[in-house]
Amino acid sequence: MLAQMIMLVAVAGAAVLAAQAPASASSSLVPPSSLSAATTAPLRLRGGLTLDLPSSWRVYGGGDQIRVVTGACARPRGHYFEPNCRSFWVMGTQAIKTGGEGFQPYNPNQGPFYPAVDVAPCATDPALGQVLGKAVTAGYRAVGVGHKARYLVWPGRCVRGNGAQQSTFSQREWYLPKERILIVDQWNTPGLATVLKNATWS
């Protein structure tokens, strides 16, 4: 099963993400005029969405696959299933097209964001596989003024090859279908919900 997981990671990495580089200060991160650069920096996204991120968070990638690293991270330029990287993802149209299980289009009514065909490694331990259950929370949450995202929380289990559970996590998703933006967080990132609630649109 471990061999299958390793193969899956390679396939998912190729299908979900191209090689990433940190976002440059001139493109995605520009110090806001009303706040100190040491406090926050705006991340400008598709559809006119801007997120004011804490300055300690780092942005990698661009376009339809952006990883925001919020803490310790072994390989910030890694693919979606890269373990040991405290972060969340902002996905766009292309990632959403293959974001469902089996690389089907992502559909929050059918399941979580899970671009895989087999058991993917757990975010906290690559020796364990992740298994996502049925959504335990489903509703809508504000992303800035006048925009509501479909909000879902999927319970996750980190299991050994024999199915024995070692730990749990939650996969939180905010989906804006009109703008084709999906935010995915497996780390229960402190402050992320507030960042999204305080987002601005232009």
Side-chain angles (χ1 to χ4, degrees), residues 123-144:
T124 57
D125 187 340
L128 303 175
Q130 63 170 284
V131 179
L132 293 169
K134 293 182 178 180
V136 293
T137 301
Y140 292 88
R141 297 283 170 92
V143 176

Side-chain angles (χ1 to χ4, degrees), residues 98-106 112-118:
T98 57
E101 188 169 1
F103 302 107
Q104 296 296 309
Y106 169 78
F113 183 82
Y114 193 81
V117 294
D118 202 347

Side-chain angles (χ1 to χ4, degrees), residues 132-175:
L132 293 169
K134 293 182 178 180
V136 293
T137 301
Y140 292 88
R141 297 283 170 92
V143 176
V145 175
H147 294 258
K148 287 196 180 251
R150 181 82 187 278
Y151 177 72
L152 298 115
V153 178
W154 308 89
R157 300 184 301 122
C158 296
V159 300
R160 296 203 179 278
N162 62 5
Q165 177 176 304
Q166 301 299 301
S167 60
T168 61
F169 66 96
S170 294
Q171 179 164 306
R172 302 186 299 170
E173 298 176 358
W174 290 259
Y175 180 48

Side-chain angles (χ1 to χ4, degrees), residues 50-130:
T50 298
L51 305 179
D52 282 325
L53 305 180
S55 60
S56 61
W57 293 4
R58 295 290 176 256
V59 177
Y60 293 82
D64 281 345
Q65 295 136 354
I66 296 173
R67 177 177 231 158
V68 180
V69 175
T70 61
C73 182
R75 292 180 31 152
R77 293 178 186 86
H79 51 74
Y80 175 72
F81 289 115
E82 183 72 38
N84 299 322
C85 184
R86 289 188 173 271
S87 58
F88 64 90
W89 287 89
V90 181
M91 303 294 192
T93 301
Q94 294 304 314
I96 291 169
K97 281 182 180 177
T98 57
E101 188 169 1
F103 302 107
Q104 296 296 309
Y106 169 78
N107 183 336
N109 297 319
Q110 296 179 355
F113 183 82
Y114 193 81
V117 294
D118 202 347
V119 178
C122 190
T124 57
D125 187 340
L128 303 175
Q130 63 170 284

